[in-house]
């Protein structure tokens, strides 16, 4: 179903352009705005779709927009619920610097005091390249935060259980810019994929959480085999490797990155016990990052080949080559 403008589309389904509740009531149906005129949200605007028995939700097509589709004013609220949101291509230059955002070119704020919520939304980026760019920026190992279901990247799809994403700014420049807290959308049970469905491997990044040595080994191997970029794993509790079942080193090949993260909260430290296994992880010109972990059971083999190895504390647990 096509409408001249986004405002007309919303009005036809129960909401004024600036406030109200618009229910796009046909699961799987496509609602499209032809023009790229932005909607200024002045109060509370809720745009809701429906999810069919087949799991397919109502689709809202915003691909015609070359600038912001929604501009949320101070004190106003925008909620998008149970929708598949078809996004326009990422701009060549972004206003958010290097921060990963699929929304900054679609939803913007005029000033502080606005609220944006996405719940049960599947964002569909215009191309696989856009999704790759977003995911690669999102998955910086040094900036990655420990977590479980808050944020995962599985088989190329970004999954937000409960997280935030940077929004854009209105271009009129007549108001003070929003503060950092106000410029974030809240994402609940929201995913990001691309046109045509989940991308094929190799993926730009993979990230999830693990709870045991077996899970660490199997998850890391599976993700490393299909991921071109970083593999980032949060340890939800203490993990002890088992010499009898840890068969050879976990290999991080050339150009790959493996990050293992513990809980940074005080009094909730996570232990990673190598159980004396030398070369438990083998980085073949790859990179291994261990962060916020208490390392136990570090091996020290009887034979060393260099002064560097002689005085190293943990290098024997992670070999830098075979």
């Amino acid at each position: 179903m096509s409408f001249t403008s986004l405002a007309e589309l919303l009005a036809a389904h129960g909401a004024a352009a600036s406030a109200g509740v618009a229910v796009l009531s046909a699961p799987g149906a496509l609602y499209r705005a032809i023009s790229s005129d932005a909607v200024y949200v002045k109060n509370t605007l809720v745009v809701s779709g429906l999810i069919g028995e087949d799991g397919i939700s109502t689709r809202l097509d915003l691909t015609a927009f070359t600038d912001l589709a929604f501009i949320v004013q101070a004190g106003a609220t925008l909620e998008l619920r149970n929708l598949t949101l078809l996004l326009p291509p990422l701009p060549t230059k972004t206003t958010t610097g290097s921060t990963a955002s699929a929304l900054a070119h679609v939803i913007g704020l005029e000033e502080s005091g606005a609220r944006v919520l996405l719940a049960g939304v599947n964002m569909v980026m215009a191309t696989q390249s856009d999704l790759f760019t977003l995911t690669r920026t999102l998955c910086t190992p040094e900036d990655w935060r420990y977590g479980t279901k808050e944020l995962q990247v599985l088989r190329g799809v970004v999954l937000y259980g409960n997280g935030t994403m940077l929004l854009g700014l209105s271009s009129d420049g007549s108001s003070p810019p929003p503060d950092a807290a106000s410029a974030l959308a809240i994402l609940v049970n929201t995913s990001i994929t691309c046109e045509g469905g989940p991308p094929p491997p190799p993926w730009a990044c993979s990230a999830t959480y693990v709870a045991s040595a077996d899970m660490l080994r199997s998850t890391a191997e599976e993700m490393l085999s299909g991921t071109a970029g970083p593999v980032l794993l949060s340890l939800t509790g203490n993990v002890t490797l088992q010499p009898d079942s840890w068969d050879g080193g976990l290999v991080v090949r050339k150009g790959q990155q493996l990050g293992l993260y513990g809980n940074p909260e005080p009094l909730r430290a996570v232990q990673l016990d190598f159980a004396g296994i030398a070369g438990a992880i083998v980085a073949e010109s790859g990179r291994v990052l261990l962060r916020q972990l208490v390392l136990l059971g570090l091996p020290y083999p009887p034979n060393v080949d260099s002064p560097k190895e002689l005085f190293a504390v943990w290098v024997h647990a992670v070999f830098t080559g075979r």
Side-chain angles (χ1 to χ4, degrees), residues 2-6 32-36 64:
S2 296
F3 296 82
T4 302
S5 66
L6 183 55
R32 176 186 291 113
I34 298 174
S35 76
S36 58

Side-chain angles (χ1 to χ4, degrees), residues 30 33 96 128 174 177 188 198 203 267 274 294 297 306:
L30 178 65
T96 60
Q128 287 185 16
S174 61
V188 178
W203 302 298
L267 305 179
F274 284 96
V294 178
S306 69

Side-chain angles (χ1 to χ4, degrees), residues 15-34:
S18 60
V21 178
V23 179
L24 311 183
S25 57
L30 178 65
Y31 295 80
R32 176 186 291 113
I34 298 174

Side-chain angles (χ1 to χ4, degrees), residues 175-210:
S175 303
D179 57 50
S182 295
L184 296 174
I186 300 170
L187 308 183
V188 178
N189 296 330
T190 289
S191 61
I192 308 174
T193 184
C194 60
E195 184 65 32
W203 302 298
C205 163
S206 293
T208 188
Y209 59 95
V210 296

Side-chain angles (χ1 to χ4, degrees), residues 212-301:
S212 67
D214 289 343
M215 192 175 179
L216 168 60
R217 181 66 183 251
S218 61
T219 302
E221 286 183 336
E222 179 183 355
M223 288 185 165
L224 286 167
S225 68
T227 306
V231 171
L232 311 175
L233 302 176
S234 295
L235 278 58
T236 61
N238 297 337
V239 170
T240 300
L241 308 189
Q242 301 298 325
D244 293 339
S245 59
W246 195 269
D247 185 19
L250 172 62
V251 178
V252 183
R253 293 181 173 82
K254 183 177 180 179
Q256 292 186 314
Q257 300 179 71
L258 174 65
L260 303 180
Y261 300 82
N263 194 330
E265 295 182 18
L267 305 179
R268 301 191 67 179
V270 174
Q271 299 175 356
L272 175 57
D273 190 339
F274 284 96
I277 303 174
I281 301 174
V282 178
E284 297 180 340
S285 300
R287 184 183 178 201
V288 177
L289 173 65
L290 306 178
R291 174 162 288 183
Q292 299 290 345
L293 290 167
V294 178
L295 303 181
L296 302 177
L298 296 171
Y300 199 88

